């Protein structure tokens, strides 16, 4: 069975024109070819057809970009008022909002996500992140600190702190939600007065390139935002180890996060890491099942399960297990699978044939266990990288499918018989990850106790993965270092200088 309809919706002319243009590197405010002259091709994961040719930069291009970013750090950007910086970030948000359709279609074609998700959850989120951090640009300040005046000739001291931009930031981003991953780094970096070199995921660079054009259009000074598209092992690795970079902001797999950390050790650059997840969804018998079922289906299958926050492990009380698993399975079976540009598509393709292979490897591993295959379990006939939403019931935490991040549409459901919160929490916390999670119950006391026992950076009650620019987001254990979003997300782009005056 193929997921492709006979008439595939084509993108708007504006989108096609963007795709057809020459995609170069953005260095020091100029669009330039990579020194090697190499390019790579981008495909639509729904149709496996060519959509764009993009410059493939390497280590020598990273060198050029670092020079440009260091120069810009000391240029007009450093003397610009915070009000002007705020205004530029807000203008960037406006410019993106007016390209809502273009950016939506780029995300859909590049990544495969369904159009409404791209428009309302992905691009709209990017606009909101920019506006949120535009507000912070004028509110960054230090403190005055009372200290004992030992040795002061006239018995007085004044100590104050200032918050300074951390410097040149290297941003390395993944393919699963291309635009917000870039903006979550760019927006606080601009608010803090940093400059940036972005290395977007090699297979989904298009929305980042659009942002590059918009930064020029709104007048962000040359060299403040630079883009080097290219491979992780080449351009990415060069950026992570570069002595001219002061901080790396990385989102991606835990495996590559560890490589980044080692590469960053050379000059002890600061590092924030947003990594993988395998988040629990705990359903107590008194939960509102009419909310649990759609909530759990969305938690597991949003972005085809290629979502770091995905609720991929459900722990459901025995009393409601059958109702919940059957309800989520009937939603999963009813999802319209197809190309993201089709208006009725709810589940798009996975990003690549490699990802299909990885996900199908897990599904086959699941089939070989005692788990029940409740729905799905197959890839669709090509073209397109489609995999059915798949649910395994009666899973246990010793199974590979329950322990490892699959990053595809696979949900593992397991039962618990009594509501011993410690033993549920032990299972929730039994993977290497601690990113997200949710608890579903009408009993606020049980729900809050459970939240306190789950070792994750973000746990929701009666919803999953609440995201807002004001809510700090990040992982515990091997899900990451530090937080993005909120004030904490801004803090990681600032450093503190303390000054003491004696008088
Ligand atoms: P990935 O780790 O393979 O790649 C991420 C980025 O790192 C890409 O730009 C890639 O080119 C680059 N890269 C690869 N090797 C590198 C190296 N040696 N040096 C420097 N850079 C290198 O991840 P992915 O497959 O693009 O994304 C999926 C992963 O991202 C999943 O594990 C997912 O959970 C995670 N993720 C986490 C969050 C979060 O906020 N915690 C959000 C989205 C995705």
């Amino acid at each position: 069975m193929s997921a492709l309809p006979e008439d595939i919706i084509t993108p708007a002319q504006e989108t096609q024109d963007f795709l057809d243009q020459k995609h170069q590197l953005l260095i020091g405010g100029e669009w330039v070819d990579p020194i090697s002259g190499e390019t790579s091709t981008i495909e639509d994961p729904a149709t496996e057809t060519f959509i764009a040719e993009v410059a493939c930069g390497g280590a020598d291009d990273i060198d050029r970009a670092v020079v440009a970013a260091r120069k810009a750090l000391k240029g007009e950007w450093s003397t610009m008022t915070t009000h002007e910086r705020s205004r530029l970030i807000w203008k960037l948000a406006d410019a993106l909002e007016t390209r809502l359709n273009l950016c939506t279609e780029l995300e859909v074609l590049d990544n495969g996500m369904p159009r409404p998700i791209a428009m309302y959850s992905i691009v709209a989120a990017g606009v909101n992140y920019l506006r949120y951090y535009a507000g912070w640009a004028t509110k960054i300040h230090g403190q005055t600190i009372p200290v004992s005046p030992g040795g002061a000739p006239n018995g007085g001291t004044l100590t104050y702190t200032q918050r300074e931009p951390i410097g040149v930031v290297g941003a390395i981003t993944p393919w699963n939600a291309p635009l917000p991953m870039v903006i979550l780094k760019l927006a606080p970096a601009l608010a803090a007065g940093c400059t940036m070199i972005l290395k977007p995921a090699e297979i989904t660079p298009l929305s980042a390139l659009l942002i590059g054009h918009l930064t020029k259009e709104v007048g962000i000074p040359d060299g403040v935002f630079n883009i080097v598209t290219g491979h992780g092992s080449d351009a990415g690795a060069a950026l992570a180890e570069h002595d001219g970079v002061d901080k790396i902001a990385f989102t991606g797999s835990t495996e590559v996060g560890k490589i980044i950390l080692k590469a960053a050790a050379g000059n002890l650059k600061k590092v924030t890491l947003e990594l993988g997840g395998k988040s629990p969804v705990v359903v107590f018998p008194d939960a509102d099942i009419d909310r649990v079922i759609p909530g759990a289906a969305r938690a597991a299958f949003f972005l085809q399960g290629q979502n770091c926050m995905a609720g991929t492990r459900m722990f459901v009380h025995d009393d409601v297990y059958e109702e919940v698993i059957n309800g989520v399975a009937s939603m999963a079976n009813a999802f319209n699978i197809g190309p993201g540009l089709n208006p009725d598509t709810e589940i798009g393709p996975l990003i690549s044939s490699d990802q299909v292979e990885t996900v199908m490897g897990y599904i086959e591993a699941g089939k070989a266990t005692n788990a029940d295959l409740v729905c799905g379990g197959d890839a669709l006939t090509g073209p397109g990288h489609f995999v059915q939403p798949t649910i395994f019931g009666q899973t246990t935490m010793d199974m590979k499918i329950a322990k490892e991040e699959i990053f595809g549409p696979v949900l593992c459901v397991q039962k618990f018989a009594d509501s011993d919160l410690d033993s549920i929490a032990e299972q929730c916390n039994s993977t290497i990850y601690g990113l997200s999670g949710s608890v579903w119950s009408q009993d606020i006391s049980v729900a809050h106790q459970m939240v306190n026992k789950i070792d994750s950076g973000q746990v929701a009650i009666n919803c999953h993965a609440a995201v807002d620019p004001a809510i700090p987001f990040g992982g515990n254990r091997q899900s990451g270092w530090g937080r993005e979003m909120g004030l904490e997300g801004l803090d990681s782009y600032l450093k503190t200088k303390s000054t003491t005056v004696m008088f």
Side-chain angles (χ1 to χ4, degrees), residues 384-439:
H385 309 303
F386 296 94
V387 172
Q388 294 175 321
T390 297
I391 301 179
F392 286 102
Q394 308 286 7
T395 55
T396 49
M397 280 311 303
D398 54 352
M399 294 175 185
K400 187 178 161 74
I401 50 168
K403 275 195 298 217
E404 296 179 13
E405 183 185 49
I406 299 175
F407 223 56
V410 183
L411 170 63
C412 296
V413 190
Q414 87 179 58
K415 254 182 213 177
F416 61 89
D418 64 35
S419 296
D420 171 16
L421 303 190
D422 285 319
S423 77
I424 301 166
E426 195 181 317
Q427 307 219 47
C428 289
N429 298 336
S430 65
T431 71
I432 61 168
Y433 301 111
L435 188 59
S436 186
S438 57
V439 176

Side-chain angles (χ1 to χ4, degrees), residues 86-158:
S86 170
R87 200 176 67 86
L88 284 175
I89 302 168
W90 195 278
K91 275 178 79 176
L92 186 58
D94 289 346
L96 178 58
E97 199 168 41
T98 60
R99 301 331 193 283
L100 184 64
N101 192 60
L102 167 61
C103 195
T104 295
E105 294 196 339
L106 292 179
E107 289 291 79
V108 171
L109 290 167
D110 216 359
N111 164 280
M113 64 181 76
R115 181 185 193 109
I117 290 178
M119 187 169 275
Y120 302 113
S121 299
I122 298 292
V123 184
V127 172
N128 286 343
Y129 297 150
L130 284 164
R131 294 213 171 109
Y132 174 80
Y133 283 109
W136 272 117
T138 51
K139 296 163 194 71
I140 296 168
H141 55 74
Q143 298 174 311
T144 55
I145 302 171
V147 292
S148 53
N154 297 304
T157 61
L158 169 67

Side-chain angles (χ1 to χ4, degrees), residues 172-176 181 199-202 232-233 236-237 250-253 256 259-260 274-277 308 405 407 435 473:
I172 302 178
T173 55
W175 47 259
N176 69 318
M181 296 302 125
K199 205 302 284 171
E202 47 271 59
S233 53
F250 174 78
T251 302
S253 61
V256 175
I259 296 173
I260 299 280
E274 295 285 350
L275 308 176
C308 56
E405 183 185 49
F407 223 56
L435 188 59
F473 176 78

Side-chain angles (χ1 to χ4, degrees), residues 176-237:
N176 69 318
L179 179 86
M181 296 302 125
V182 169
I183 293 189
L184 272 175
K185 295 163 180 56
L186 178 63
L190 294 179
C194 297
T195 60
M196 176 171 277
I197 299 132
L198 168 70
K199 205 302 284 171
E202 47 271 59
I203 43 181
T204 57
L206 298 174
S207 55
L209 292 167
L210 173 64
I211 295 295
H213 287 282
L214 300 183
T215 56
K216 279 175 71 67
E217 178 184 301
V218 302
I220 290 176
D222 293 348
V224 169
F225 182 49
N226 307 274
I227 308 174
V228 178
T229 45
H231 294 290
S233 53
D234 185 2

Side-chain angles (χ1 to χ4, degrees), residues 463-476:
C463 62
H464 187 91
V467 176
D468 184 276
I471 303 176
F473 176 78
N476 297 352

